[in-house]
Amino acid sequence: MAVDVPIVLIAFNRPRVTERVIRALRRGEPSQVFVVADGPRPGHATDEETCAAVRALIDQIDWDCKVHKRYADTNLGLEANVELGLDWVFDQVDRAIVFEDDCIPDPSFFDYCTELLDRYQDDERVWLISGDKKGVPQSRFHGRSYAFSSWASVWGWATWGDRWRRHRELFPRTHEGASERAHATPRTADAIRVKPAPPADGALATPAGQRHFLNVSQTTNGDHYGWDHHFWVTIISEGGLCATPSLYLVENDGFGPDATHTRASRTPRPAQQMQLPLVHPPEVALDREVELELELVLLRIDGRVSRLAKRIIRPLWLRKVVRRIVTFPPVWKVARKLVAR
């Protein structure tokens, strides 16, 4: 059965992973695919060839499908390509499932997203449906298919047009002159909001998490945090919720030196199959047990200490060694206690 929910594929210059995503999409045969592809970077000799190779793969989509293309002639940068691309998508459709070029879904992810998009369409408390659980232990879900959290992974995700447009009203970064910035002094447009965006009462589970997202909301340097952090800030400040799955429904195959953020080498974790029918949470409310685990993960990979360590520890192999140390079970248990303070 063909997937009726529109699919968004955000791509750039990595034909190997893009081809894997297209193979996964072929199994779902979505009726609409929106391709948001960035252009080659100035001064990168291979980008012309690799960007062209990615676009050639798009032309090979062979199932019954309407393909919409937004191709940048020159490089916009990740933030501009994603935000402006999703603006373009949600000007045309009211919901979508979004994949970056390195996110390979299990076929059950389409059913999972479709059911939750229908179930929570009119419940404006729910903003994001995620395909990745970020290491939350299975036991924390107590047999349910997913739980509600204040933030959630965007390694394969879905949302509604009205939620995205609300975010962009509060965070109206236009990226004017993105191509010129890429040629001159490569940087992202400032991260300016129309009003302060502190975490809403009852959002998040720990003071450490609240401090982290308050800091993100007040940071105007557009290069400091990615588009996903800014979307999470909107969700959290508006008192919204995200659906975090109890399984890894999407494999991230983008780790390595050619990635924008996930540059450390790591063996991809295969996507898992979600069993149907889904077991829903008893209420639409923050699951503090799952949220605590997510905040611990977030602070480990993207907190202030983590960012400082990344600036100091440059070799990717050494980062991998340090990561193994800090994820050693006894250290993890101590950290869980500390982050809850």
Side-chain angles (χ1 to χ4, degrees):
M1 180 177 176
V3 176
D4 289 332
V5 179
I7 301 297
V8 181
L9 174 57
I10 298 169
F12 176 33
N13 68 348
R14 296 190 288 178
R16 181 189 67 82
V17 291
T18 303
E19 185 175 22
R20 286 199 66 197
V21 178
I22 293 174
R23 286 204 304 266
L25 295 182
R26 183 176 284 110
R27 291 192 288 176
E29 295 190 340
S31 56
Q32 287 193 85
V33 175
F34 290 79
V35 183
V36 179
D38 207 355
R41 297 165 294 181
H44 289 71
T46 61
D47 274 7
E48 291 280 355
E49 179 182 351
T50 52
C51 287
V54 166
R55 298 178 188 194
L57 289 170
I58 302 302
D59 291 337
Q60 294 174 19
I61 289 179
D62 57 2
W63 64 89
D64 186 13
C65 172
K66 174 64 175 175
V67 180
H68 311 264
K69 301 175 182 177
R70 188 181 191 274
Y71 290 173
D73 294 328
T74 56
N75 190 260
L76 301 175
L78 177 62
E79 310 305 318
N81 191 50
V82 171
E83 289 179 349
L84 299 179
L86 291 179
D87 291 347
W88 169 72
V89 170
F90 288 120
D91 278 343
Q92 302 175 68
V93 297
D94 66 350
R95 58 176 64 186
I97 302 171
V98 184
F99 300 103
E100 294 191 44
D101 60 6
D102 52 11
C103 295
I104 299 94
D106 180 84
S108 63
F109 182 58
F110 300 116
D111 296 322
Y112 164 79
C113 285
T114 299
E115 181 168 343
L116 295 195
L117 285 167
D118 287 340
R119 184 181 181 91
Y120 299 112
Q121 176 177 347
D122 298 322
D123 192 332
E124 296 183 355
R125 293 172 294 179
V126 184
W127 283 63
L128 187 156
I129 299 163
S130 175
D132 181 87
K133 66 174 184 170
K134 286 290 185 190
V136 177
Q138 187 77 29
S139 61
R140 300 294 189 268
F141 293 90
H142 302 287
R144 299 169 191 134
S145 301
Y146 62 98
F148 288 111
S149 53
S150 291
W151 76 282
S153 172
V154 290
W155 288 354
W157 61 287
T159 193
W160 301 263
D162 58 350
R163 275 68 149 186
W164 179 258
R165 289 190 295 271
R166 174 59 177 161
H167 165 56
R168 297 292 279 141
E169 289 171 1
L170 297 170
F171 187 66
R173 180 162 58 173
T174 65
H175 296 283
E176 184 177 355
S179 296
E180 289 75 11
R181 281 195 301 275
H183 282 81
T185 54
R187 62 179 302 274
T188 305
D190 290 340
I192 305 297
R193 291 183 169 270
V194 300
K195 66 177 185 179
D201 291 342
L204 303 168
T206 69
Q210 291 167 353
R211 289 192 298 270
H212 175 81
F213 282 107
L214 180 61
N215 178 63
V216 176
S217 74
Q218 296 172 341
T219 298
T220 57
N221 182 346
D223 289 319
H224 204 62
Y225 292 101
W227 68 267
D228 48 359
H229 271 77
H230 298 299
F231 189 30
W232 295 331
V233 164
T234 296
I235 295 170
I236 292 166
S237 66
E238 294 287 291
L241 296 168
C242 306
T244 290
S246 60
L247 300 172
Y248 296 101
L249 304 181
V250 178
E251 173 189 329
N252 188 301
D253 191 22
F255 288 85
D258 61 344
T260 300
H261 296 302
T262 53
R263 296 185 65 244
S265 177
R266 196 178 84 177
T267 301
R269 180 186 288 108
Q272 299 170 299
Q273 180 180 3
M274 177 66 78
Q275 297 299 313
L276 300 175
L278 297 180
V279 180
H280 301 283
E283 59 179 336
V284 180
L286 180 66
D287 187 315
R288 302 189 71 83
E289 191 175 2
V290 168
E291 178 62 30
L292 173 63
E293 296 290 339
L294 283 171
E295 288 175 35
L296 178 60
V297 170
L298 179 68
L299 296 172
R300 178 175 63 86
I301 63 177
D302 213 14
R304 292 184 179 182
V305 174
S306 172
R307 284 175 171 263
L308 176 61
K310 289 175 183 176
R311 288 198 296 270
I312 296 173
I313 306 172
R314 306 303 293 181
L316 297 181
W317 68 267
L318 185 54
R319 290 185 187 178
K320 189 173 183 179
V321 171
V322 172
R323 185 178 296 108
R324 286 178 177 174
I325 293 172
V326 299
T327 55
F328 188 63
V331 177
W332 196 249
K333 291 178 181 179
V334 172
R336 188 174 285 119
K337 294 179 181 178
L338 291 175
V339 79
R341 294 179 181 176

